[in-house]
Amino acid sequence: MIEHQVIDCRTVSKMSITNTPTSNDACLSIVHSLMCHRQGGESETFAKRAIESLVKKLKEKKDELDSLITAITTNGAHPSKCVTIQRTLDGRLQVAGRKGFPHVIYATLWRWPDLHKNELKHVKYCQFAFDLKADNVCVNPYHYERVVSPGIDLSGLTLSSTLMVKDEYEFENQPSHSGADGHHQTIQHQPSRPGGPQELFSSSALLPPPEGSSSASTSAFSSLAAGASTPDYWCSIAYFEMDVQVGETFKVPASCPTVTVDGYVDPSGGDRFCLGQLCNVHRTEAIERARLHIGKGVQLECKGEGDVWVRCLSDHAVFVQSYYLDREAGRAPGDAVHKIYPSAYIKVFDLRQCHRQMQQQAATSQAAAAAQAAAVTGNIPGPGSVGGIAPAISMSAAAGIGVDDLRRLCILRMSFVKGWGPDYPRQSIKETPCWIEIHLHRALQLLDEVLHTMPIADPQPLD
């Protein structure tokens, strides 16, 4: 029997990244590494029993065990040999009191969580495929392809499971019907037309600078851009499940202007943040299901002085909170959620616009604070001015802009698969199962310069 021990998820994740096991390692280490790559179609208990059983059978066939480890830990990126177990009399394998075809069991564990038994076809170079009726059966998931035949047997599907899939995911892809004045209305962004992505709006045309300060604003940005050194990292990305951060913050070097955030487990350096490798002891079944659909995720690209574009690589839409897109759509900052469809490529952040908003909000806050103080003492200048507490209250909102209000301008938030707002049952991004928060370091650097020249109110909590 394989000895059962408790291993910290962070240790397992680190091992799977930096020290992929080999057939010479202990069964326990191999099992835990392979467990980190399961797709969630089966319960954790069943998956562990199935993987333990397979590793134990392969322990004396080291070349095949190494082939299995290579196939699973690289997501099939490298060629691998057949991985075989002995065929049983009825062709089925029993795991944890359940029987199933062995090649289907392991393909479900590591590739297709919703796989049906009649959907697999072996690749040409597989010598021990299940259909060949040999004494040994190949269970290498990457020696099979998924096909859906017209005569597929649907007897194994139940009404409840079909409805669960429909309710869980089809609703997310329906057009939104909120009214034009609905708070957090979902604004949809479809893929660009053929011929390459285009910036649909000109921020310089749509966002005029404050009256009488266009040249001052432009020159201020130019001097800051020229005088400040480029940050070592252009952004940092934190991953959340509901309201809990999972794993450490991922920093993207300035040398990697393009970074991919996906649902896989095999990072290839500083340009990929793989969410599949992250463990969370509080993860629910609903979160696990949503994570299965992250897939290829999104690609973030930093252009020019610090503008950011997003490409949706996933088969499901992603939902973005972007003050830049809010302004381009004629909405107040933070007033909308933007649904970016698969294959869409869209600009989500403009550094110059962000810098201008920083200056506007900081100047507004500073002026309102001064006016509020004057109103309390009854010293508002100008004809018809009145003193007292009423004018002060009317100015309190503008005067209350704090550092965290400005920091929001430098942050993007993005949820996978699930949206939020009136179109969805979730009112906040913190109620979505898996989402990321992206801090843009160049913008934060400019904000620091603005705050040094224009001190504002005390920070307010960042919700």
Side-chain angles (χ1 to χ4, degrees):
M1 293 293 291
I2 297 176
E3 183 181 1
H4 293 270
Q5 297 179 9
V6 177
I7 292 183
D8 185 85
C9 284
R10 290 170 294 183
T11 303
V12 174
S13 296
K14 184 176 181 181
M15 177 190 71
S16 66
I17 298 169
T18 61
N19 187 22
T20 301
T22 69
S23 59
N24 293 322
D25 289 311
C27 288
L28 179 64
S29 298
I30 299 172
V31 169
H32 276 282
S33 177
L34 297 179
M35 278 287 287
C36 285
H37 295 259
R38 68 187 183 92
Q39 294 300 303
E42 298 285 359
S43 68
E44 183 174 354
T45 299
F46 180 87
K48 189 172 184 181
R49 291 282 293 276
I51 295 173
E52 285 177 345
S53 174
L54 180 58
V55 171
K56 185 178 179 180
K57 287 182 173 69
L58 297 175
K59 197 58 179 168
E60 301 304 319
K61 298 189 286 186
K62 293 185 179 297
D63 59 334
E64 293 189 22
L65 182 52
D66 282 327
S67 287
L68 175 69
I69 295 170
T70 297
I72 302 306
T73 58
T74 66
N75 296 320
H78 299 294
S80 54
K81 301 177 182 178
C82 284
V83 177
T84 63
I85 61 175
Q86 188 172 3
R87 180 186 292 271
T88 60
L89 290 177
D90 65 356
R92 295 186 297 170
L93 179 68
Q94 181 165 323
V95 177
R98 289 167 45 188
K99 278 194 171 185
F101 296 120
H103 63 311
V104 176
I105 290 176
Y106 294 106
T108 302
L109 282 179
W110 284 311
R111 292 196 72 182
W112 302 289
D114 57 346
L115 181 69
H116 191 264
K117 64 181 180 181
N118 292 337
E119 293 181 336
L120 287 183
K121 176 183 178 181
H122 66 272
V123 296
K124 294 180 179 179
Y125 52 83
C126 182
Q127 300 177 346
F128 297 94
F130 181 82
D131 293 339
L132 299 181
K133 308 296 184 182
D135 290 339
N136 291 327
V137 178
C138 178
V139 294
N140 185 337
Y142 292 93
H143 277 206
Y144 294 88
E145 297 173 341
R146 187 177 186 180
V147 294
V148 179
S149 62
I152 185 171
D153 176 15
L154 298 178
S155 60
L157 291 178
T158 64
L159 179 62
S160 60
S161 64
T162 304
L163 289 176
M164 181 276 292
V165 173
K166 180 179 178 68
D167 291 344
E168 191 71 13
Y169 299 104
E170 285 193 14
F171 177 74
E172 303 296 349
N173 291 313
Q174 299 302 313
S176 76
H177 300 287
S178 288
D181 59 347
H183 185 60
H184 280 304
Q185 178 188 0
T186 304
I187 298 175
Q188 302 182 38
H189 301 270
Q190 301 283 354
S192 303
R193 294 179 179 179
Q198 296 181 351
E199 188 172 351
L200 300 181
F201 303 97
S202 169
S203 60
S204 60
L206 290 183
L207 184 66
E211 292 184 10
S213 61
S214 58
S215 59
S217 175
T218 303
S219 61
F221 180 88
S222 301
S223 62
L224 285 173
S229 59
T230 303
D232 293 335
Y233 300 91
W234 72 266
C235 79
S236 56
I237 308 171
Y239 170 64
F240 294 83
E241 291 176 0
M242 306 297 278
D243 61 350
V244 176
Q245 181 174 347
V246 178
E248 298 181 358
T249 299
F250 184 86
K251 294 184 177 181
V252 185
S255 58
C256 295
T258 301
V259 61
T260 301
V261 183
D262 59 36
Y264 302 131
V265 293
D266 183 35
S268 56
D271 62 346
R272 278 186 68 191
F273 185 20
C274 296
L275 307 180
Q277 67 188 344
L278 302 177
C279 295
N280 177 11
V281 295
H282 302 294
R283 183 172 295 154
T284 64
E285 185 178 348
I287 294 174
E288 191 71 70
R289 285 201 305 269
R291 280 168 53 85
L292 294 177
H293 294 269
I294 295 174
K296 295 180 180 179
V298 296
Q299 190 177 71
L300 306 173
E301 184 177 0
C302 182
K303 290 186 175 184
E305 297 168 327
D307 298 346
V308 179
W309 291 66
V310 166
R311 187 188 304 275
C312 181
L313 305 176
S314 174
D315 292 333
H316 291 265
V318 294
F319 298 81
V320 179
Q321 185 181 73
S322 161
Y323 288 1
Y324 168 76
L325 289 179
D326 292 344
R327 291 295 295 267
E328 301 298 78
R331 304 293 291 269
D335 191 46
V337 179
H338 300 268
K339 184 176 184 178
I340 301 180
Y341 282 84
S343 301
Y345 180 52
I346 187 169
K347 184 176 182 179
V348 293
F349 180 81
D350 184 283
L351 185 65
R352 284 180 176 269
Q353 185 198 77
C354 178
H355 180 245
R356 194 175 299 155
Q357 282 187 264
M358 290 177 194
Q359 291 183 312
Q360 288 175 336
Q361 289 189 209
T364 298
S365 175
Q366 189 179 44
Q372 182 181 16
V376 171
T377 59
N379 292 324
I380 296 181
S385 62
V386 288
I389 197 65
I393 293 177
S394 67
M395 300 174 186
S396 61
I401 297 174
V403 174
D404 283 332
D405 294 292
L406 297 182
R407 285 184 64 247
R408 289 185 180 93
L409 301 175
C410 311
I411 295 172
L412 297 170
R413 284 177 165 181
M414 182 182 308
S415 67
F416 296 95
V417 184
K418 303 292 188 179
W420 76 96
D423 296 336
Y424 303 96
R426 297 159 294 276
Q427 295 306 304
S428 164
I429 194 172
K430 293 184 179 181
E431 297 174 38
T432 62
C434 40
W435 58 281
I436 55 176
E437 185 172 85
I438 305 148
H439 290 241
L440 304 172
H441 293 189
R442 185 69 181 98
L444 290 168
Q445 190 179 55
L446 291 177
L447 174 59
D448 187 60
E449 296 290 337
V450 169
L451 295 178
H452 274 85
T453 58
M454 194 178 296
I456 61 172
D458 292 333
Q460 302 296 320
L462 182 64
D463 56 15

